[in-house]
Amino acid sequence: RIKAEKGAIVCRVAPSFIRFGSFQLPFSRGDVEGVRALVDYCISHDFKGQIHPNDSNRYMAWMREVVKRTAELIAQWQAIGFVHGVMNTDNMS
């Protein structure tokens, strides 16, 4: 470097480090059981008390909740003027 520059450290803070992208690899390989196991893990660890793990409609309930939370998060970011390409599968949980 020619001179010292200001910098920052970015830290992810989330109740879970499972990202949307975590589902892409097993899905792309046709690994339905792998996707199902990951969703079941998310339901039992990240949605305790919200979605019952034995509910026959748990996958649909989980998907609706994920879509709702994601839409609310993006709306909140946009409400303060943040619109950026980092809202992708690697960075959304």
Side-chain angles (χ1 to χ4, degrees):
R1 289 191 177 155
I2 298 171
K3 63 179 183 170
E5 297 180 23
K6 291 182 180 181
I9 295 174
V10 178
C11 177
R12 290 183 178 183
V13 179
S16 172
F17 285 95
I18 294 177
R19 305 281 182 238
F20 289 174
S22 302
F23 297 88
Q24 289 177 315
L25 183 60
F27 179 80
S28 71
R29 294 178 174 173
D31 183 4
V32 175
E33 287 306 312
V35 173
R36 186 174 289 134
L38 189 53
V39 174
D40 286 339
Y41 175 86
C42 290
I43 289 171
S44 65
H45 287 83
D46 300 320
F47 293 83
K48 276 185 184 172
Q50 298 169 4
I51 300 171
H52 195 278
N54 295 326
D55 183 352
S56 62
N57 294 317
R58 67 186 176 277
Y59 301 121
M60 185 58 71
W62 175 80
M63 180 59 78
R64 284 188 180 126
E65 187 62 25
V66 168
V67 169
K68 176 181 162 281
R69 291 181 186 190
T70 303
E72 289 171 352
L73 176 65
I74 297 299
Q76 290 170 0
W77 277 111
Q78 289 182 337
I80 61 169
F82 183 82
V83 180
H84 197 278
V86 297
M87 300 298 191
N88 57 36
T89 60
D90 291 333
N91 294 310
M92 300 296 296
S93 60

